């Protein structure tokens, strides 16, 4: 675990800077201080992550009100990996949702049902003409994302 690794690093760091046992017991308080600082760093890092996760979740819920997760980790490993790689929150979410929709088999529909769905989806031309302001509307953005999954490749 991270804490165990942190302690190993603390001991190694203390030795690397000449604080671990070369002068006997005089060096012990410094090694303890390094260990305590590494523990504090781990706690603060975890608090920072949780704070960012909460911000991400609130932003996603405001843009995608139908999303019913209580923590961003519920969005899956792919989402977490994209966020860890520096991909912004919304882009990571949309990418994961598109990937999920591409993996789903097409739903069987009645013959001629495509005309009934026309109002529910955008064509690729319609999306090309959407402005950034249009895409700020969560409903338009969600419709655009769903539309992309329906296009023929």
């Amino acid at each position: 675990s991270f804490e165990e690794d942190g302690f190993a690093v603390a001991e190694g760091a203390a030795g690397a800077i000449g604080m671990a046992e070369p002068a006997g017991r005089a060096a012990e308080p410094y090694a303890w201080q390094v260990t305590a600082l590494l523990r504090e760093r781990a706690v603060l890092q975890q608090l920072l992550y949780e704070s960012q996760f909460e911000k991400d979740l609130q932003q996603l819920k405001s843009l995608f009100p139908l999303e019913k997760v209580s923590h961003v980790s519920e969005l899956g490993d792919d989402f977490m990996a994209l966020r860890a790689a520096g991909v912004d929150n919304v882009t990571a979410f949309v990418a994961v949702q598109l990937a999920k929709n591409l993996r789903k088999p097409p739903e069987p529909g009645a013959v001629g049902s495509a005309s009934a769905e026309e109002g529910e989806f955008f064509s690729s031309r319609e999306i090309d003409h959407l402005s950034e302001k249009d895409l700020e509307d969560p409903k338009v953005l969600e419709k655009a994302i769903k539309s992309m999954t329906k296009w023929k490749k």
Side-chain angles (χ1 to χ4, degrees):
S1 77
F2 174 77
E3 288 184 9
E4 291 169 356
D5 294 341
F7 296 133
V9 170
E11 292 169 4
I17 57 175
M19 287 192 221
E21 300 294 329
R25 301 192 63 68
E28 286 180 16
Y30 297 109
W32 178 85
Q33 288 174 339
V34 170
T35 302
L37 288 172
L38 286 171
R39 281 185 183 167
E40 182 180 2
R41 179 184 176 271
V43 169
L44 292 173
Q45 187 70 44
Q46 186 62 35
L47 289 172
L48 178 66
Y49 288 151
E50 288 301 323
S51 173
Q52 186 62 51
F53 292 159
E54 185 61 30
K55 287 177 188 174
D56 286 356
L57 183 63
Q58 293 308 317
Q59 182 185 28
L60 290 174
K61 282 189 172 190
S62 71
L63 292 172
F64 305 97
L66 299 177
E67 192 57 46
K68 303 291 184 214
V69 296
S70 59
H71 193 270
V72 292
S73 62
E74 294 174 29
L75 295 172
D77 292 339
D78 291 339
F79 176 84
M80 298 301 284
L82 288 168
R83 289 296 286 136
V87 175
D88 75 271
N89 189 31
V90 176
T91 303
F93 178 79
V94 171
V96 169
Q97 295 304 314
L98 284 173
K100 281 182 187 177
N101 288 335
L102 290 176
R103 286 185 225 138
K104 287 182 185 176
E107 295 179 14
V111 176
S113 65
S115 62
E117 294 180 12
E118 273 183 25
E120 295 176 23
F121 301 99
F122 292 120
S123 69
S124 60
R125 263 196 197 130
E126 289 173 313
I127 286 186
D128 288 341
H129 294 295
L130 291 175
S131 68
E132 285 185 33
K133 181 144 177 72
D134 293 331
L135 291 173
E136 287 176 9
D137 179 349
K139 291 179 182 178
V140 172
L141 181 60
E142 192 169 352
K143 183 176 173 181
I145 292 168
K146 286 181 182 178
S147 298
M148 287 187 244
T149 63
K150 300 292 183 183
W151 299 340
K152 293 182 180 178
K153 295 174 182 151

